[in-house]
Amino acid sequence: MAAPSSYLGWKIDYANPPGEPAYLEPGSMHWRVYKNPIALAVGGVAAVLLEFADARIRSGVWDHSTYKADPIGRSKRTGIAAMVGVYGPQAAARRVIQGVTNMHTRVVGETPKGEAYKALDVELLDWVSATAGYGFLNAYDRFVAPLSEAQKTRFYEEAHPIARLYGVKYSPSNQADFMAMMDKLAPRFEPHPIVGEFLDIIQSGKAASAAPKFLHKALARASVSLLPPIVRTKLALGREYDLTPLDTLSLKAAGKLADRIAIKSSPPSQASLRLGLPYDFLYRSQAEQKRLLAEREGSLAAASA
């Protein structure tokens, strides 16, 4: 997971300028969750499935993005936007998020049933933002390391500042809030062949070519397993998408391994260096992370005195 070098032509440097803060602190739940590629892969697919349940979002993505023709490039760009929002210098995050918003201004159209949509519709923005958080958080909890309810709530609450940058008006503060959002939209949810096409792309490995081949189908099934029952029923995703015991064992093994391996060129490692922390800060024990953060805070306080 090397650090992406650019987005829409803008260079992204997670290691510079030294000391420039991210929108989220190194001790945040987001820094912990987003460093894990298994959580991001499984959670990202689950988020797209939740979004595709609504015809307006499904049509907007399928008709106005390059996902069908270039699933790898589209997935990478989505991943860059997510990474820079969590780990990037604030100036870089604002620039990338504004670029995403500018692209979304051009996404307007009609669903096959004739319903008008636009990507910057507040209801759609709120749902897309919420599904990403739900997907990443629950994938980490299920396939990497169990999280307490307090940790999950903290994750949701941390997301508010970044969500506002995207124009989001309502961001859930806990899992119950997310479920309430879903229940409000659920009458609109419906099955569609595009959902199957999307899962076929995931199972083919085109959108995650670096992942071992045996994980591709497991990743798709794992993503479906994260869907609340009402969503899976509405999307008509049958038993062929049931997660097998081998799927679970494989993904948990991969998730735990990824949570222990620090790659110096990756966004979380480069961001740690930018803030004066060891590159493998996020891969150390929780006690060691707290000690390092306390030392950093002490050094910053002394420097400003």
Side-chain angles (χ1 to χ4, degrees):
M1 191 173 62
S5 59
S6 66
Y7 183 86
L8 298 177
W10 296 314
K11 180 177 173 56
I12 300 172
D13 186 350
Y14 291 91
N16 290 291
E20 182 171 342
Y23 275 100
L24 294 167
E25 290 295 318
S28 66
M29 288 300 301
H30 274 69
W31 272 52
R32 176 180 174 183
V33 168
Y34 273 61
K35 78 177 188 296
N36 192 285
I38 298 300
L40 295 188
V42 174
V45 174
V48 172
L49 292 172
L50 286 161
E51 294 160 17
F52 278 11
D54 189 305
R56 296 168 296 175
I57 301 174
R58 185 175 64 240
S59 295
V61 171
W62 215 245
D63 295 342
H64 294 272
S65 81
T66 60
Y67 209 105
K68 288 177 290 184
D70 182 23
I72 298 173
R74 177 64 164 75
S75 297
K76 285 182 178 179
R77 288 190 292 276
T78 300
I80 292 169
M83 282 288 180
V84 75
V86 172
Y87 298 115
Q90 288 186 6
R94 287 194 299 270
R95 186 168 64 241
V96 167
I97 291 170
Q98 185 59 55
V100 172
T101 300
N102 291 343
M103 286 193 296
H104 284 167
T105 61
R106 302 190 292 271
V107 179
V108 296
E110 288 187 352
T111 68
K113 294 181 179 179
E115 183 178 15
Y117 66 79
K118 56 182 180 179
L120 294 183
D121 182 290
V122 171
E123 185 175 56
L124 304 187
L125 279 174
D126 289 357
W127 180 238
V128 168
S129 174
T131 61
Y134 172 89
F136 297 147
L137 175 66
N138 286 283
Y140 190 93
D141 176 60
R142 181 85 60 86
F143 298 107
V144 182
L147 299 174
S148 68
E149 287 305 312
Q151 289 173 319
K152 292 177 183 178
T153 296
R154 184 179 158 204
F155 179 92
Y156 277 111
E157 291 176 342
E158 289 172 356
H160 295 339
I162 297 175
R164 284 195 290 270
L165 291 177
Y166 280 100
V168 169
K169 300 301 182 184
Y170 175 77
S171 181
S173 294
N174 50 51
Q175 199 93 314
D177 284 354
F178 175 84
M179 292 301 176
M181 287 183 74
M182 181 195 69
D183 288 341
K184 184 178 178 182
L185 287 170
R188 305 184 62 94
F189 295 168
E190 62 182 16
H192 195 279
I194 284 176
V195 174
E197 289 183 48
F198 169 69
L199 285 169
D200 287 344
I201 290 173
I202 299 304
Q203 293 182 95
S204 74
K206 291 179 181 178
S209 57
K213 289 184 177 181
F214 74 91
L215 284 180
H216 294 157
K217 289 187 177 181
L219 189 154
R221 291 192 286 258
S223 302
V224 171
S225 78
L226 294 182
L227 301 178
I230 188 173
V231 178
R232 182 168 178 177
T233 298
K234 290 270 190 176
L235 292 178
L237 296 174
R239 296 192 62 180
E240 68 272 21
Y241 292 107
D242 283 354
L243 192 66
T244 70
L246 181 58
D247 292 337
T248 302
L249 287 172
S250 299
L251 286 165
K252 284 187 174 182
K256 291 181 187 302
L257 180 63
D259 228 39
R260 295 196 296 267
I261 298 177
I263 300 174
K264 196 170 184 178
S265 61
S266 69
S269 293
Q270 291 290 294
S272 296
L273 290 172
R274 186 182 81 247
L275 296 180
L277 295 163
Y279 82 92
D280 62 348
F281 163 75
L282 288 169
Y283 303 85
R284 300 190 182 193
S285 69
Q286 293 294 304
E288 178 70 0
Q289 288 182 36
K290 287 181 180 179
R291 184 187 69 78
L292 289 167
L293 287 174
E295 286 184 357
R296 175 174 173 268
E297 288 174 8
S299 297
L300 291 174
S304 61

